Amino acid sequence: MLNAPRIPELAQRDRFVRRAVAEGRVLTLADEENASVPSQKVAGRTVQLFWSSPIEAGRWAEALAGNRELQDISLEVFATDILPGIATAKGFVGTDWVSDPIEAEIDPRDLLIRLKTEAIPLYAAAAREKREIYLVGNAEGPMLTPGMQKPRSADKLHVFSHRPDAEAHMKKIAGKRVIVEPIANFIATTLPWAAAQNHPVLIEPVRGAGFVEVKAADLSARLAAPAAEPAAKSA
């Protein structure tokens, strides 16, 4: 079993998460053969090395590969492709690696959850700037995604920041239309309705990386805008 991380390791991981989300990218070595090291904690496992700072990444690229050549990886690619691949290979992620005697070796699944959670405020800010979100609907209004049958779980309200994602989900649940809903209407009407009916609200803070459940009241507070918008329209 992997030992619980120490406080310095946790701080290193959390700094990486904050920077990666804020910058929208991570860095690794251009020479992929040198971009991993053996795990210090689990025999036979590999740790893939990533950095959130170009200065630190360049310094370690020179130390490990003899040059300062780096790969710049977008947050979306890191979250949707690289982390799942590392998880499948049963590897770990070295976050802001510095060659300490004991390094942070992070489970990629845990790191993905933390990245998505950290990205929620930026997701909300982008929605406020765009001033609308997308829902799947039918003639009556927003549609819910049926919960799992065994055991039966609550039907869920999926909220999308990009129309193509809503269109793809519409096909999955046999929806009839995409609702383009102004933020003010979403806050005033849809979120209170979901909360009153105990329907979980799901958003995707990092596009393509999977949904996270958020409390309706918390999402409402993050999305709160100073001006009212017109009523929802279908598109």
Side-chain angles (χ1 to χ4, degrees), residues 4-233:
R6 303 171 304 165
I7 290 177
E9 295 170 27
L10 296 177
Q12 187 172 321
R13 176 203 64 193
D14 293 344
R15 181 187 66 171
F16 176 90
V17 167
R18 289 192 300 271
R19 284 182 178 174
V21 170
E23 298 295 331
R25 59 100 177 94
V26 300
L27 300 149
T28 190
L29 306 190
D31 183 353
E32 295 185 1
E33 291 186 3
N34 290 307
S36 64
V37 295
S39 170
Q40 301 177 61
K41 299 179 179 180
V42 181
R45 299 286 185 90
T46 298
V47 182
Q48 298 291 324
L49 308 181
F50 299 93
W51 293 267
S52 59
S53 163
I55 295 174
E56 293 176 5
R59 180 160 60 91
W60 286 107
E62 191 166 8
L64 293 168
N67 60 62
R68 300 180 69 87
E69 296 178 6
L70 301 171
Q71 292 186 57
D72 193 310
I73 303 168
S74 73
L75 182 63
E76 283 189 13
V77 170
F78 187 58
T80 62
D81 182 26
I82 293 177
L83 288 180
I86 295 173
T88 299
K90 298 184 178 180
F92 300 116
V93 182
T95 52
D96 285 336
W97 191 83
V98 293
S99 189
D100 277 347
I102 298 180
E103 278 292 336
E105 299 184 0
I106 308 302
D107 186 313
R109 296 164 297 182
D110 174 75
L111 184 58
L112 180 57
I113 292 170
R114 294 179 185 280
L115 288 168
K116 290 191 288 187
T117 300
E118 180 71 20
I120 290 174
L122 291 181
Y123 170 96
R128 287 198 306 272
E129 183 176 354
K130 196 173 185 180
R131 303 172 70 181
E132 63 187 23
I133 51 83
Y134 304 91
L135 305 170
V136 173
N138 56 24
E140 286 73 41
M143 285 182 64
L144 300 168
T145 303
M148 296 179 60
Q149 295 293 328
K150 295 181 180 180
R152 177 67 181 181
S153 58
D155 294 344
K156 303 172 178 62
L157 178 67
H158 280 77
V159 181
F160 300 90
S161 58
H162 295 83
R163 183 189 177 93
D165 299 336
E167 290 173 343
H169 190 70
M170 179 175 64
K171 295 177 181 178
K172 292 180 183 178
I173 66 172
K176 300 300 183 182
R177 61 179 178 141
V178 170
I179 297 174
V180 183
E181 186 162 50
I183 292 296
N185 192 76
F186 183 63
I187 293 171
T189 303
T190 305
L191 280 177
W193 165 77
Q197 298 295 321
N198 294 317
H199 294 305
V201 178
L202 280 77
I203 65 173
E204 194 172 40
V206 180
R207 190 179 184 190
F211 287 83
V212 295
E213 183 177 332
V214 292
K215 293 182 179 179
D218 291 345
L219 183 58
S220 179
R222 292 186 184 279
L223 292 174
E229 299 294 335
K233 60 183 178 179

